[in-house]
Amino acid sequence: MNEPKLIPMPQTVVTAPKMDAVPSGDAQPAQTRLAAPSVIRQFLNQKSSGRVPDGLFGGLMLICALSIFVIVLLIVFVLVRDSRLSLHAFGFKFFTGTVWDPVSGDFGALPFIYGTVVSSLLAVAMSVPLALLVAIFVLEICPQFLRGPISFLTELLAAIPSVVYGLWGVFVLVPIIRDQVGPVLEKYLGWTGFFAEPNFGVSIFTASVILAIMIFPVISSISRDVMKVVPPSQREAALALGATRWEMIRISVLRNSRIGIVGSVILGLGRALGETMAVTMVIGNHPDMMKNLFAPGYTLASVIANEFTEATGDLYLSALIEIGLALFLVTIVVNAIARLLVWAVTRGNAARAH
Amino acid sequence: MGVGIQVENLNAWYGTTQSLWDINLHIPANHATALIGPSGCGKSTFVRCLNRMHETNPIARAEGVVRMGEIDIYKDASPVEIRRRIGMVFQRPNPFPTMSIYDNVASGLKLNGFRKKRVLDEVVERSLRNAALWDEVKDDLKKKSGASLSGGQQQRLCIARALAVDPEVLLMDEPASALDPVSTAKIEDLIFKLKSQYTIVIVTHNMQQAARVAENTGFFLTGKLVEFAPTTKIFTNPSDKRTEDYITGRFG
């Protein structure tokens, strides 16, 4: 058998190696005793000192991370400072008052909170099943050649400006919901009280549909990415037990990625709560709290957008800024509840394999 | 009781690359059969063709006849039924991390709609005992996740999970290659015990392991079955020169 020879690294011919370990009493120059270091070792020995040290890197990261706290605190500070007039005038009743009357200076935010929360939750309820099914389809069932186009179009939906969604809503969705969808829902689900006349097309329901389309790409693409990282061995484990394709998806794909999926839903919900333009254009802008989803409504974001420019008087302006504060609080509360839900569901089997 | 498997003219491809060539072999019931050979020789592909797991790879394809008892597994049954009746244990332990130990073992039965709690309890205990894991986990069956166990325990959990659906055949694809010697010894003891009730096919890189647990051994090389014979014959008096070279460590 041929013994394979070890090929030596290229040697340098330059000066002595910089080594602290050279005995000082020795008169001979270093290079005559020590073989010249290989090019690689010499390069690495010089290089290591010039790199960004871990401490500096860590410090920079810490500053970036802390800036998030600073930004959030600043936002809260400004919101509270600029809404103090309204805070003094109405106190906690601002959040429970149902009248919004700029003329007599009476301001209550409840109808807007109602509109925001109901339209967003409804949007999530409509969007989540669709988004998850599309994500599962693209990942597990879709033929290869369709995968690219579907993913691309999904992400394209996210790139459309919301004012374009609004225009489309006004000219396409509103008539459809008024003339086609509305009568059907009234006929079959009218008994619930959620779908009743009058239906002008501009309504909380229409806003929810627009929002559902707008948050669909967020939920779908994030949950798809989360499902994609479920190891193939998990799929094989289920299949080898005699699982059908849906059972495999249920016990290995969805189950293992449920935390990430909930995360994607929370992100989508966040977008729905804050969405302004498209909602303003189709929701009807009337501060009511009706059980009927075909009735017009108003959201926190919409009222700020609509009335900020015409807010005459300090109290009016201050009330609008407090609306902003209310939106901030609603977002925090909804997120907190969502996280509590995640915690409650995953408690007891927190351990995850990776 | 297990059933035997008859393989006739089995060919398999990944895309356009043929990875198995005309495999003919009979795996006897209630015995352990070892498959050895260098990496990439087709032994894993072969066992995956036995329970139609290769079909989960869209570019994989197989032709030929595989009979389990009287059933032609490619013609007479769905892949779902075949995989339930021919269990499989993989190289890397793959318990479901979000399920408790109990739910891991019961998962196969629950999939098939089995809900009687008392029987489930019994089956879980029996499977864990048969997989030699019961004593180590009986106190936190429902408290601990399947992923919280050590590697060797996880692999025995996977064996228990496979046993819980009471398969007729158990395929093991290098079940001990990711484990330390102590866990490996436990798995080998287990195979010894299990073959009284199940037909076992074990793929292994470890020739001592094949010699210890299996009555019959098949040697694969570049997608072909070079030799299939009783284990003692393969290791003491192989009839093919290539088998001899491999088991004496002259190549591979």
Side-chain angles (χ1 to χ4, degrees):
Chain A
M1 260 198 185
N2 252 350
E3 277 297 320
K5 265 191 187 154
L6 199 62
I7 306 163
M9 282 284 188
Q11 302 281 310
T12 49
V13 278
V14 282
T15 52
K18 267 193 236 161
M19 283 197 180
D20 300 329
V22 176
S24 52
D26 208 319
Q28 276 190 310
Q31 67 263 48
T32 59
R33 287 178 297 101
L34 296 168
S38 74
V39 177
I40 303 295
R41 280 188 196 165
Q42 198 182 37
F43 173 78
L44 291 176
N45 285 343
Q46 289 166 352
K47 184 78 185 158
S48 57
S49 54
R51 289 185 301 188
V52 183
D54 283 349
L56 183 64
F57 180 69
L60 275 173
M61 296 292 105
L62 186 65
I63 291 172
C64 293
L66 288 180
S67 69
I68 293 179
F69 287 99
V70 175
I71 291 169
V72 171
L73 286 177
L74 269 179
I75 291 174
V76 174
F77 169 73
V78 170
L79 284 175
V80 171
R81 188 194 62 188
D82 291 354
S83 62
R84 64 188 184 285
L85 262 184
S86 150
L87 279 169
H88 279 304
F90 306 109
F92 187 74
K93 269 193 288 180
F94 181 81
F95 299 104
T96 54
T98 56
V99 180
W100 182 265
D101 186 356
V103 181
S104 63
D106 193 3
F107 298 103
L110 196 57
F112 307 104
I113 295 175
Y114 174 83
T116 298
V117 171
V118 169
S119 63
S120 299
L121 289 182
L122 205 56
V124 166
M126 286 190 264
S127 196
V128 165
L130 190 70
L132 288 187
L133 288 178
V134 169
I136 290 170
F137 176 77
V138 169
L139 214 55
E140 306 285 339
I141 296 160
C142 179
Q144 195 69 41
F145 72 94
L146 257 179
R147 232 171 251 195
I150 293 182
S151 304
F152 176 73
L153 286 177
T154 307
E155 265 125 52
L156 195 70
L157 274 182
I160 297 175
S162 63
V163 67
V164 176
Y165 274 109
L167 274 180
W168 179 79
V170 169
F171 290 113
V172 180
L173 198 60
V174 165
I176 289 178
I177 288 186
R178 186 182 56 214
D179 304 329
Q180 268 95 43
V181 179
V184 175
L185 284 177
E186 279 161 34
K187 191 174 167 200
Y188 293 104
L189 291 170
W191 54 271
T192 57
F194 291 122
F195 306 99
E197 289 291 335
N199 173 8
F200 302 113
V202 286
S203 63
I204 288 192
F205 183 78
T206 313
S208 306
V209 174
I210 280 275
L211 282 175
I213 298 169
M214 293 179 78
I215 63 176
F216 164 81
V218 177
I219 300 177
S220 192
S221 59
I222 293 180
S223 53
R224 188 188 65 218
D225 290 345
V226 173
M227 291 181 211
K228 203 193 274 175
V229 299
V230 171
S233 66
Q234 285 291 307
R235 293 180 172 82
E236 289 192 329
L239 289 173
L241 284 172
T244 61
R245 191 179 257 181
W246 163 243
E247 289 165 344
M248 180 274 282
I249 288 167
R250 185 166 56 84
I251 69 169
S252 65
V253 179
L254 289 178
R255 220 186 139 98
N256 281 324
S257 50
R258 59 189 175 187
I259 294 176
I261 291 173
V262 172
S264 75
V265 174
I266 292 177
L267 274 178
L269 186 58
R271 178 156 189 213
L273 288 169
E275 176 50 44
T276 312
M277 201 59 223
V279 173
T280 309
M281 290 166 83
V282 298
I283 201 169
N285 298 330
H286 198 275
D288 269 334
M289 287 193 291
M290 308 280 272
K291 191 184 172 195
N292 178 13
L293 295 176
F294 286 147
Y298 219 156
T299 67
L300 292 161
S302 299
V303 72
I304 298 176
N306 273 336
E307 301 184 11
F308 203 76
T309 46
E310 56 199 55
T312 51
D314 293 339
L315 184 63
Y316 194 1
L317 194 62
S318 169
L320 279 177
I321 291 170
E322 196 175 351
I323 288 273
L325 186 63
L327 181 53
F328 192 82
L329 292 177
V330 165
T331 314
I332 289 174
V333 169
V334 169
N335 270 307
I337 292 173
R339 271 174 207 286
L340 266 178
L341 277 177
V342 178
W343 176 79
V345 169
T346 55
R347 182 183 42 170
N349 45 34
R352 281 165 58 83
H354 13 251
Chain B
M1 291 302 271
V3 294
I5 291 184
Q6 182 75 38
V7 180
E8 288 161 22
N9 297 323
L10 185 69
N11 287 280
W13 293 262
Y14 282 108
T16 53
T17 319
Q18 186 158 9
S19 48
L20 285 180
W21 305 75
D22 280 325
I23 308 293
N24 285 286
L25 117 119
H26 175 69
I27 296 164
N30 294 93
H31 285 72
T33 301
L35 304 176
I36 59 171
S39 295
C41 68
K43 38 190 204 313
S44 289
T45 309
F46 176 73
V47 290
R48 292 170 73 90
C49 286
L50 296 185
N51 68 342
R52 298 181 68 172
M53 275 301 282
H54 71 286
E55 287 171 23
T56 60
N57 183 337
I59 62 163
R61 190 162 59 86
E63 267 172 23
V65 180
V66 178
R67 258 194 287 274
M68 174 178 65
E70 295 301 307
I71 302 167
D72 182 336
I73 70 158
Y74 286 105
K75 290 216 183 82
D76 302 341
S78 71
V80 169
E81 188 196 337
I82 290 302
R83 290 177 200 143
R84 181 174 57 71
R85 295 177 62 174
I86 305 182
M88 190 161 194
V89 175
F90 297 85
Q91 183 174 3
R92 299 270 306 269
N94 54 358
F96 298 121
T98 55
M99 294 188 193
S100 66
I101 294 168
Y102 182 98
D103 287 337
N104 260 286
V105 181
S107 55
L109 279 176
K110 283 188 177 166
L111 275 183
N112 286 290
F114 200 91
R115 291 279 182 279
K116 288 179 202 149
K117 200 186 158 302
R118 247 198 44 236
V119 187
L120 265 184
D121 287 348
E122 248 179 72
V123 171
V124 168
E125 175 172 348
R126 172 185 166 278
S127 306
L128 283 169
R129 279 188 192 281
N130 283 342
L133 189 60
W134 175 254
D135 290 331
E136 294 159 57
V137 300
K138 63 177 180 230
D139 295 326
D140 24 40
L141 276 184
K142 297 195 179 177
K143 272 180 281 172
K144 273 194 179 172
S145 137
S148 66
L149 301 174
S150 74
Q153 288 174 324
Q154 285 189 19
Q155 192 62 300
R156 278 177 284 147
L157 178 62
C158 291
I159 294 174
R161 184 176 65 186
L163 293 179
V165 287
D166 204 14
E168 287 136 90
V169 180
L170 192 59
L171 308 176
M172 303 176 117
D173 188 357
E174 300 183 36
S177 65
L179 305 180
D180 67 285
V182 177
S183 304
T184 304
K186 281 185 181 160
I187 303 267
E188 286 178 12
D189 286 348
L190 198 54
I191 295 170
F192 230 90
K193 217 170 64 186
L194 290 174
K195 66 189 178 190
S196 64
Q197 287 184 48
Y198 304 93
T199 304
I200 290 175
V201 181
I202 174 171
V203 170
T204 179
H205 271 296
N206 180 334
M207 283 179 273
Q208 286 76 32
Q209 189 171 64
R212 281 192 295 264
V213 302
E215 284 85 1
N216 294 296
T217 297
F219 172 57
F220 278 77
L221 189 62
T222 58
K224 297 184 181 93
L225 180 63
V226 173
E227 188 167 354
F228 184 71
T231 304
T232 42
K233 180 170 182 311
I234 287 263
F235 284 106
T236 54
N237 184 23
S239 41
D240 195 293
K241 178 80 172 57
R242 290 166 295 175
T243 315
E244 192 181 339
D245 285 351
Y246 183 71
I247 60 168
T248 53
R250 236 166 283 169
F251 86 99

